Amino acid sequence: MITSSVEPRRRRDRRPWSRRTPRAADLAIAIPLLLFGAAWLVSAALDHGMEIEAAHGHLDRIETADLAHMARLQEFLVVVLVVAVLALVSRAPWTVLSQVLAATLAGVALTGAQHSWDRSHPGSTGSASEGAVSRYRENNAFRIPGEMSPESAQDARREADRVEPVLKRLRESGTWDPKSVREALREVGFQEERFGPKGERLGGTLSVRDMGSRFETDHYVTPEGALVGVRVHDDACVTAFVQRANYEVKINGPYLEGGCFEPRAGH
């Protein structure tokens, strides 16, 4: 009688954690992920700085920019931690390490942003995002633009495309005072908005004014530059500004107070 001593072949375990990811493949993933994470954090910080600069000292716009920056950091941190867990399951130690480093950088940035928020809002309770957004909507409803219909938004975008090259040219030439901006826009076909004695609109769509004063240290200053508003329809506007540092053109619905121009704080 012959008995076979051959044991049945074991089925190869194909689960992700059954074997370690080869070092070459691990490094090929870890290094680009780390570089991408660092680049993203630097880009987010630069974008946040530009948003603060574009706020022109308006506290509500600065608060909104700060909250958006913290939200982006939180989302990035979640994504990085998920990738780290997947790398841990796949037994890719270098990828895990790269994501831990990226998470650490994001955590430091988020902690710094949160501390900055806490210092500027010493009386706030609860999370920054919940408290500030709630207060903003309650106290600044008059500064939230109205809704635009799709058709009106399309028309506004066409008008914005006419305004943008004019402001670009003026900034490049070093000219951004309201009078020069108004004349340049009139040359391309815009007509100034006119009103009757009772405030009724008589025609025209264009309004140009100075940048508005803001408080600095112990007095009010009016920065150089011009604000532009074009009332395209009753529910659609083009709003823009041009100054030494930059310029911007966007479309939005009108405000309850101020028409195309965002009302100033103080209510």
Side-chain angles (χ1 to χ4, degrees):
M1 181 177 180
I2 301 175
T3 59
S4 174
S5 61
V6 178
E7 298 180 359
R9 177 182 294 179
R10 295 183 178 179
R11 189 168 63 182
R12 181 175 298 175
D13 195 343
R14 297 182 179 275
R15 290 173 295 183
W17 56 85
S18 62
R19 61 177 61 188
R20 179 172 174 172
T21 300
R23 177 176 295 183
D26 191 7
L27 289 172
I29 297 173
I31 294 174
L33 282 179
L34 180 59
L35 294 176
F36 172 80
W40 188 94
L41 290 171
V42 171
S43 176
L46 293 175
D47 289 344
H48 179 235
M50 292 179 64
E51 290 172 354
I52 296 299
E53 182 180 355
H56 305 299
H58 295 295
L59 294 181
D60 64 303
R61 295 177 62 181
I62 293 175
E63 286 187 348
T64 302
D66 288 341
L67 291 173
H69 180 57
M70 286 189 286
R72 288 192 292 265
L73 289 175
Q74 290 172 345
E75 293 171 357
F76 176 79
L77 188 57
V78 170
V79 171
V80 167
L81 292 177
V82 169
V83 173
V85 170
L86 294 176
L88 183 63
V89 170
S90 300
R91 298 178 62 184
W94 289 106
T95 301
V96 173
L97 178 60
S98 72
Q99 295 309 283
V100 169
L101 290 174
T104 301
L105 293 174
V108 170
L110 181 58
T111 301
Q114 184 66 57
H115 284 174
S116 177
W117 175 274
D118 293 339
R119 285 196 302 270
S120 60
H121 299 77
S124 62
T125 58
S127 68
S129 58
E130 292 177 358
V133 170
S134 176
R135 289 195 303 275
Y136 174 76
R137 290 193 173 277
E138 291 176 1
N139 299 331
N140 297 276
F142 69 101
R143 304 185 71 186
I144 299 176
E147 295 291 333
M148 292 185 290
S149 69
E151 295 79 10
S152 295
Q154 204 170 40
D155 291 343
R157 173 52 57 194
R158 281 195 291 267
E159 295 297 276
D161 290 341
R162 295 175 59 202
V163 172
E164 195 273 340
V166 176
L167 299 190
K168 180 180 179 180
R169 172 173 55 81
L170 289 172
R171 179 174 175 269
E172 291 175 348
S173 66
T175 305
W176 40 72
D177 61 281
K179 180 180 179 181
S180 298
V181 172
R182 184 181 301 108
E183 291 177 352
L185 289 171
R186 290 179 62 183
E187 288 176 359
V188 297
F190 289 100
Q191 295 184 356
E192 289 188 70
E193 195 169 21
R194 304 183 306 279
F195 297 93
K198 297 182 179 180
E200 68 275 17
R201 292 178 59 202
L202 300 179
T205 62
L206 173 67
S207 296
V208 181
R209 61 178 66 170
D210 62 40
M211 296 293 292
S213 61
R214 65 170 182 255
F215 190 79
E216 289 187 1
T217 309
D218 58 355
H219 64 286
Y220 283 91
V221 298
T222 300
E224 293 183 342
L227 295 173
V228 177
V230 179
R231 186 182 290 272
V232 183
H233 295 297
D234 289 339
D235 65 338
C237 293
V238 175
T239 54
F241 70 84
V242 58
Q243 55 183 11
R244 181 187 300 272
N246 56 354
Y247 73 94
E248 181 184 49
V249 181
K250 63 181 181 179
I251 64 173
N252 55 265
Y255 298 90
L256 291 178
E257 303 177 21
C260 291
F261 293 102
E262 179 180 348
R264 300 175 183 176
H267 284 228

